[in-house]
């Protein structure tokens, strides 16, 4: 049973600078919501509402977005704007969110290990807040079902063009089990296209088990003895996969990697076109331009 999730947000968002100098990339809007709100709603819709956000001091806007604001609510009610007051109130009761400040070596394995110390001895989901999905069944629910069926770590995957391999973790596929489920025996982080072991990209959604956390702890110990490089979740999953079952789940849905400028624009464009009020007018404008 997966009850908890971790969202690391402490990254610098360098691919979108200078836009992300003051504004955390997780707070960039897609449609009428910041990226991280889409991620949190996805988790809640998938039955996971105990969420740890691993953050840094420069990302305090994330915290403010989900914090209660009694003054704002009261003013809106006095002004007769109950709908808006309810929307503001709903944000702070969406999920049980705990914030942790990231501590430790660089790399995306560190926030996962920070959170694991608080979560304890149970499997949990990790989502990067810059991969957004439009899917009939939320990505987090698809991952959760894969874990329930296998009892092993699971990675969210999407088919990719081989020339994109150097941007992603690429799984070594051992067996195709049907229904988008693959047994994998390892992962190569950002390989050159000619060395890519498959045509799938790991896309920032993982079910992490205590065995994977043990690998992250070992990686951190090695780093403390010899502080070189970064601690990657992909490396821990790879090491775990060499001796234990690990699965990939190809996600059914449309994926927007909002950390890249073009894909961020595509996500905004798709959300604008899907807007029930303004979508039809925007569609007309897009055709005319
Ligand atoms: C991280 C992971 C990589 C994964 C990617 C998905 O890389 O290390 O394995 O494919 O997220 O978005 P980053 O994008 O942080 O460089």
């Amino acid at each position: 049973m997966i009850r908890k999730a971790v969202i690391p947000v402490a990254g610098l968002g360098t691919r979108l600078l200078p836009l992300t100098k003051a504004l955390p990339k997780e707070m960039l809007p897609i449609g009428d919501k910041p990226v991280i709100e889409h991620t949190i709603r996805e988790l809640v819709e998938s039955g996971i509402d105990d969420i740890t956000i691993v953050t840094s001091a420069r990302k305090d806007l994330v915290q403010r977005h989900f914090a209660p604001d009694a003054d704002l609510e009261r003013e809106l009610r006095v002004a007769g704007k109950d709908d808006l007051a309810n929307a503001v109130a709903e944000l702070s009761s969406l999920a049980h969110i705990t914030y942790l400040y990231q501590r430790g070596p660089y790399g995306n394995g560190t926030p996962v290990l920070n959170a694991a110390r608080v979560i304890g001895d149970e499997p949990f989901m990790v989502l990067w807040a810059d991969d957004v999905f439009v899917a009939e069944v939320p990505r987090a629910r698809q991952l959760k079902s894969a874990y329930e069926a296998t009892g092993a770590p699971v990675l969210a995957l999407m088919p990719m063009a081989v020339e994109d391999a150097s941007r992603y973790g690429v799984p070594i596929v051992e067996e195709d089990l049907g229904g988008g489920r693959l047994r994998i025996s390892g992962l190569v982080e950002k390989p050159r296209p000619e060395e890519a072991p498959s045509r799938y990209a790991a896309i920032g959604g993982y079910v992490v088990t205590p065995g994977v956390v043990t690998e992250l702890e070992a990686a951190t110990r090695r780093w403390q003895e010899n502080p070189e490089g970064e601690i990657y979740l992909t490396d821990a999953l790879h090491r775990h996969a060499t001796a234990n079952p690990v699965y990939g789940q190809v996600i059914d849905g449309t994926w927007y990697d909002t950390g890249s400028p073009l894909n961020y624009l595509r996500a905004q464009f798709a959300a604008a076109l899907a807007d029930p009020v303004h979508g039809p007018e925007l569609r007309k404008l897009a055709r005319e331009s």
Side-chain angles (χ1 to χ4, degrees), residues 57-239:
R58 64 171 72 227
K59 303 253 173 159
D60 60 332
L61 280 182
V62 171
Q63 226 152 313
R64 260 201 267 163
H65 186 67
F66 297 106
D69 190 338
D71 290 346
L72 176 59
E73 258 182 67
R74 194 175 322 109
E75 277 180 38
L76 288 168
R77 294 209 194 278
V78 169
K81 295 177 178 165
D82 281 317
D83 284 359
L84 289 179
N86 292 343
V88 167
E90 192 235 3
L91 264 183
S92 60
S93 55
L94 255 185
H96 304 282
I97 305 179
T98 307
Y99 296 90
L100 279 185
Y101 283 100
Q102 180 162 334
R103 260 191 86 187
Y106 282 115
N108 63 25
T110 295
V112 178
L113 186 56
N114 290 164
R117 295 217 165 100
V118 177
I119 289 175
D121 201 22
E122 62 179 289
F124 56 90
M125 194 168 292
V126 176
L127 296 183
W128 306 149
D130 45 13
D131 287 304
V132 168
F133 273 84
V134 179
E136 216 161 283
V137 178
R139 159 194 53 173
R141 187 175 285 279
Q142 294 182 44
L143 271 178
K144 197 173 149 187
S145 304
Y147 173 76
E148 280 160 7
T150 62
V154 186
L155 288 87
L157 300 176
M158 279 305 263
M160 63 158 189
V162 72
E163 54 272 23
D164 290 338
S166 56
R167 290 166 44 199
Y168 300 108
V170 179
I172 304 164
V173 177
E174 212 52 43
E175 193 184 353
D176 187 337
L177 301 164
R181 192 156 306 154
L182 308 168
R183 198 164 59 76
I184 70 167
S185 58
L187 272 160
V188 184
E189 181 70 1
K190 305 192 172 109
R192 289 209 301 265
E194 58 276 22
E195 282 160 11
S198 70
R199 298 289 174 94
Y200 293 101
I203 44 146
Y206 311 83
V207 174
V208 167
T209 59
V212 177
V213 172
T214 303
E215 291 294 350
L216 283 173
E217 281 164 348
T220 307
R221 274 197 304 276
R222 284 194 299 274
W223 189 92
Q224 278 154 352
E225 280 158 25
N226 180 22
E228 245 176 37
E230 303 189 4
I231 310 284
Y232 282 112
L233 179 57
T234 306
D235 287 343
L237 281 160
H238 174 74
R239 282 171 186 267

Side-chain angles (χ1 to χ4, degrees), residues 21-74:
K21 179 168 174 281
L23 184 66
K25 66 176 177 176
E26 296 80 9
M27 288 303 292
L28 293 172
I30 294 185
D32 59 357
K33 297 177 187 66
V35 173
I36 189 150
E37 190 185 327
H38 287 282
T39 312
I40 293 211
R41 286 185 187 274
E42 172 186 346
L43 285 166
V44 172
E45 277 169 35
S46 306
I48 300 172
D49 68 352
D50 195 336
I51 299 167
T52 303
I53 294 183
V54 186
T55 188
S56 75
R58 64 171 72 227
K59 303 253 173 159
D60 60 332
L61 280 182
V62 171
Q63 226 152 313
R64 260 201 267 163
H65 186 67
F66 297 106
D69 190 338
D71 290 346
L72 176 59
E73 258 182 67
R74 194 175 322 109

